[in-house]
């Protein structure tokens, strides 16, 4: 089976090992092509013998990452509108589920505006880094090392956001939402940050108006999304505890996003 | 110390074993050939320098033999003579005419010639990277490592994004991706050359010029990537935004 993989390192090939995760086999499709193509012709030799071990471990921690990239232009535009102006979103916030192969799974982002995706968080993060570099440069303090530290700062901020959401889920008794879902929800904050950063470059004082707005909008978005996630994942519905935790979630956005938006050479503050 | 290459063993008086051993010990082994056995009077056909050194291997001349045999000697083990070798650039895999053709194809942002980019190579991007570093050096910024690191990171980023977006039929491989990202650095190289002459300071002129070159690079890179690898057509806008981020990052290095 692995004999003819050599000359085509970039082509994704479905492996013969059937072990579907929640969204299908994580090693088919671009996942397979990515991992095997990334290691070239040696990929299948290195991964082939241990692929079942790696596969079972990866699918335990990550759902299929390819699900989160099934996006198109229209979805991206509408989702940005939802993230930046969440109160304008008419309609429900629940994800549409469909029975697939006997299990209940959610529809991919193209068909469902409420599904999380990973394209927007990645692009928003990149835009945040670029805009941070631009604003550093306009203040005359640009060096490549400062930009690298800002990258690290953004990663730390994303990680903190993910930790916050995960702790919220765990403290309510079940942390079973897929990790990449949480990573996606945590990354949507960068879209608002980019808006605030852009306005800071355009006109300095508008930043002080737009920053609380961004925190508020991200808070509302996260609250509404996590409410549905909690409803779907958690068994017992203890309403007051839920509400306090969601309120805490929204309030913590303020210091977190203000810290992330404060772009200066000293990356920690 | 005289360098004595392994000329055919001179018959010392008697040709005793000690003489042959003496000869053998003193003759330094050539770096890629085993030391000559003493019975070299039967011509060993694979020894390339036999033809030249046989003429020069007079008993009197370790130097003469050296000079004559070193010319063909330096011709690589196994080759018949120096003239039969591959040219150095071919052996290294650098084809200047191909690099020139590919570079020229990026110069026109409105018409993409994808056939010339079909075999990816990394030597053109290395030249462009060195040129960018050189222009940055002329501007007083020593950023060799930074630019190299950013090129690597951005090509990995584009590779991941493209393959994830394209799904099952995405077949961009990392070598092609790096090659395309590298070749599309040409507008950024030109930007850094131009910005040496534009007055310093973050004036609007610099930004406008930088924006034009960045858009050029974005268009070139995204068109090439989409046309060379499957599965990218319906995600053209999304991929070109990723390319735009990459080249804006490089232009930040140039402007500031």
């Amino acid at each position: 089976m692995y004999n003819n993989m050599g000359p085509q390192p970039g082509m994704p090939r479905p492996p013969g090992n059937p072990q579907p995760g929640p969204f299908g086999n994580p090693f088919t499709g671009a996942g397979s092509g990515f991992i095997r193509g990334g290691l070239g012709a040696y990929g299948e030799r290195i991964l082939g013998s241990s692929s079942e071990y790696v596969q079972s471990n990866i699918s335990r921690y990550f759902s299929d990452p390819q699900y989160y990239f099934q996006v198109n232009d229209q979805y991206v535009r509408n989702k940005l509108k939802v993230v930046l102006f969440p109160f304008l979103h008419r309609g429900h916030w629940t994800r549409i589920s469909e029975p697939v192969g006997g299990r209940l799974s959610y529809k991919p982002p193209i068909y469902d505006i409420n599904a999380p995706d990973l394209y927007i968080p990645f692009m928003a993060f990149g835009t945040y880094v670029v805009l941070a570099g631009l604003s550093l440069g306009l203040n005359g303090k640009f060096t490549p090392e400062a930009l690298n530290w800002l990258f690290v700062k953004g990663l730390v901020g994303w990680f903190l956001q993910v930790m916050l959401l995960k702790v919220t889920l765990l403290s309510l008794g079940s942390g079973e939402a897929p990790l990449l879902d949480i990573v996606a929800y945590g990354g949507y904050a960068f879209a608002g940050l980019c808006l605030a950063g852009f306005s800071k470059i355009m006109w300095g004082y508008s930043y002080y108006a737009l920053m609380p707005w961004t925190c508020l909008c991200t808070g509302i978005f996260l609250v509404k999304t996590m409410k549905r996630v909690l409803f779907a994942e958690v068994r017992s519905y203890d309403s007051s505890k839920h509400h306090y935790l969601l309120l805490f979630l929204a309030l913590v956005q303020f210091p977190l996003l203000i810290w992330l938006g404060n772009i200066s050479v000293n990356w920690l503050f | 110390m005289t360098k004595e290459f392994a000329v055919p063993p001179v018959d010392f008086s008697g040709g005793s074993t000690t003489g042959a051993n003496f000869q053998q010990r003193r003759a330094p082994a050539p770096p890629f050939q085993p030391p000559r056995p003493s019975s070299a009077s039967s011509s060993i056909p694979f020894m390339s320098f036999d033809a030249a050194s046989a003429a020069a291997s007079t008993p009197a001349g370790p130097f003469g033999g050296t000079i004559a045999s070193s010319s063909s000697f330096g011709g690589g083990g196994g080759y018949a003579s120096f003239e039969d070798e591959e040219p150095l650039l071919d052996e290294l895999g650098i084809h200047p005419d191909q690099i020139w053709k590919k570079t020229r194809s990026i110069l026109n942002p409105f018409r993409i010639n994808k056939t010339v980019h079909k075999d990816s190579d990394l030597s053109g991007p290395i030249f462009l990277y060195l040129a960018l570093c050189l222009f940055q050096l002329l501007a007083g910024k020593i950023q060799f490592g930074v630019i190299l690191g950013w090129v690597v990171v951005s090509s990995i980023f584009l590779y991941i994004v493209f393959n994830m977006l394209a799904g099952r039929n995405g077949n961009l491989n990392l070598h092609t991706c790096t090659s395309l990202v590298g070749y599309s650095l040409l507008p950024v190289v030109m930007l850094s050359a131009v910005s040496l002459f534009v007055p310093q300071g973050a004036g609007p002129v610099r930004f406008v010029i930088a924006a034009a070159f960045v858009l050029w690079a974005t268009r070139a890179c995204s068109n090439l990537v989409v046309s060379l690898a499957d599965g990218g057509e319906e995600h053209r806008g999304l991929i070109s935004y990723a390319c735009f981020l990459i080249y804006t990052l490089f232009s930040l290095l140039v402007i500031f």
Side-chain angles (χ1 to χ4, degrees):
Chain A
M1 169 174 67
Y2 296 112
N3 291 339
N4 46 0
M5 271 286 297
Q8 300 165 340
M11 289 292 286
R13 297 281 287 263
N17 185 16
Q19 216 179 17
F23 300 106
N25 198 331
F27 268 77
T28 54
S32 155
F34 158 59
I35 293 178
R36 287 171 196 258
L39 298 177
Y42 302 103
E44 30 101 12
R45 242 181 277 156
I46 297 175
L47 285 181
S49 54
S50 56
S51 82
E52 288 123 34
Y53 173 76
V54 173
Q55 203 167 339
S56 67
N57 275 352
I58 285 191
S59 62
R60 204 156 21 118
Y61 295 118
F62 289 108
S63 41
D64 172 26
Q66 224 274 308
Y67 164 85
Y68 298 94
F69 279 92
Q70 292 173 12
V71 292
N72 59 356
D73 274 351
Q74 190 196 22
Y75 169 83
V76 168
R77 243 175 303 154
N78 288 338
K79 187 75 177 188
L80 277 177
K81 271 193 277 187
V82 167
V83 171
L84 294 176
F85 309 104
F87 40 84
L88 289 180
H89 183 221
R90 310 269 168 244
H92 59 88
W93 286 75
T94 44
R95 290 167 74 175
I96 309 172
S97 62
E98 57 179 1
V100 143
R103 319 167 51 115
L104 215 56
S105 76
Y106 292 113
K107 278 200 172 161
I110 309 188
Y111 304 117
D112 180 13
I113 190 67
N114 294 316
D117 74 310
L118 274 178
Y119 175 80
I120 294 182
F122 270 111
M123 291 301 139
F125 183 73
T127 314
Y128 164 76
V129 171
V130 167
L131 282 177
L134 207 57
S135 87
L136 267 188
L138 285 173
N139 294 335
K141 300 193 222 111
F142 179 83
T143 62
E145 287 74 29
L147 200 61
N148 292 340
W149 280 115
L150 275 171
F151 178 81
V152 172
K153 177 179 181 177
L155 277 185
V156 168
W158 197 345
F159 178 74
L160 283 176
Q161 187 88 290
V162 166
M163 277 298 111
L164 185 71
L165 292 173
K166 192 78 183 167
V167 159
T168 309
L169 273 184
L170 277 175
S171 70
L172 285 171
S174 103
E176 276 158 21
L179 181 64
L180 284 184
D181 271 15
I182 313 266
V183 168
Y185 292 135
Y188 281 123
F190 285 101
L193 267 178
C194 291
L195 191 63
F198 188 68
S199 74
K200 187 176 190 178
I201 291 175
M202 285 294 123
W203 185 41
Y205 294 110
S206 65
Y207 173 73
Y208 295 106
L210 221 52
M211 203 57 209
W213 166 271
T214 301
C215 301
L216 196 64
C217 286
T218 312
I220 295 179
F221 172 78
L222 279 178
V223 161
K224 292 215 158 145
T225 322
M226 292 309 290
K227 192 164 169 193
R228 292 299 180 276
V229 172
L230 287 176
F231 203 63
E233 303 284 337
V234 175
R235 320 265 170 264
S236 68
Y237 187 65
D238 180 10
S239 128
S240 67
K241 199 164 162 206
H242 274 209
H243 288 162
Y244 280 133
L245 268 173
L246 290 175
L247 190 61
F248 171 71
L249 197 63
L251 284 180
V252 165
Q253 295 306 307
F254 277 83
L256 186 62
L257 293 188
I258 289 180
W259 173 63
L260 274 178
N262 178 22
I263 295 164
S264 67
V265 180
N266 181 6
W267 71 283
L268 203 47
F269 297 118
Chain B
M1 171 160 161
T2 64
K3 268 210 211 163
E4 288 179 4
F5 290 106
V7 294
V10 176
D11 246 10
F12 288 117
S13 52
S16 57
T17 45
T18 51
N21 284 345
F22 175 64
Q23 164 85 357
Q24 240 178 337
R25 242 184 301 132
R26 282 194 55 201
F32 41 79
Q33 283 182 348
R36 301 225 5 189
S38 55
S39 62
S41 50
S42 64
S43 68
I44 301 177
F46 66 85
M47 295 285 192
S48 61
F49 47 83
D50 268 6
S53 62
S57 68
T58 64
F63 279 115
T66 304
I67 295 177
S69 59
S70 65
S71 59
S72 58
F73 192 76
Y79 280 107
S81 73
F82 183 59
E83 289 84 23
D84 282 354
E85 266 179 33
E86 254 188 45
L88 178 65
L89 283 185
D90 275 353
E91 203 163 321
L92 289 176
I94 304 177
H95 310 285
D97 52 342
Q98 208 186 16
I99 295 179
W100 177 237
K101 248 191 285 183
K102 288 190 183 182
T103 313
R104 234 183 21 195
S105 79
I106 307 267
L107 278 178
N108 181 359
F110 298 113
R111 198 170 14 163
I112 303 304
N113 184 3
K114 71 170 218 185
T115 51
V116 91
H117 279 272
K118 250 203 199 325
D119 354 311
S120 52
D121 75 306
L122 287 182
S123 37
I126 289 186
F127 281 129
L128 285 174
Y129 156 75
L130 286 175
L132 179 61
C133 292
L134 174 73
F135 285 125
Q136 290 290 88
L137 200 59
L138 286 175
K141 311 173 198 163
I142 306 183
Q143 287 166 346
F144 287 84
V146 168
I147 300 181
L148 184 64
W150 285 13
V151 166
V152 169
V153 167
S154 9
S155 65
I156 293 181
F157 173 71
L158 188 61
Y159 168 74
I160 292 180
V161 168
F162 185 89
N163 278 335
M164 284 294 177
L165 279 177
R168 265 153 224 281
N169 20 346
N171 66 347
L172 184 70
N173 60 338
L174 194 55
H175 193 259
T176 310
C177 187
T178 311
S179 164
L180 292 176
V181 167
Y183 272 112
S184 311
L185 271 180
L186 175 70
V188 180
V189 174
M190 291 169 45
L191 170 69
S192 76
V194 162
S195 76
L196 286 175
F197 299 106
V198 172
Q200 264 291 347
V205 180
R206 280 179 92 96
F207 287 119
V208 166
I209 296 180
F213 280 104
V214 162
L215 286 174
W216 176 6
T218 308
R219 195 193 159 98
C221 184
S222 56
N223 279 344
L224 278 174
V225 160
V226 164
S227 62
L228 273 180
D230 304 333
E233 278 78 25
E234 60 263 18
H235 300 116
R236 208 171 249 259
L238 304 179
I239 291 171
S240 60
Y241 185 68
C243 296
F244 175 73
L245 280 183
I246 293 176
Y247 292 111
T248 315
L249 209 57
F250 283 109
S251 72
L252 281 183
L253 276 182
V254 174
I255 308 178
F256 296 116

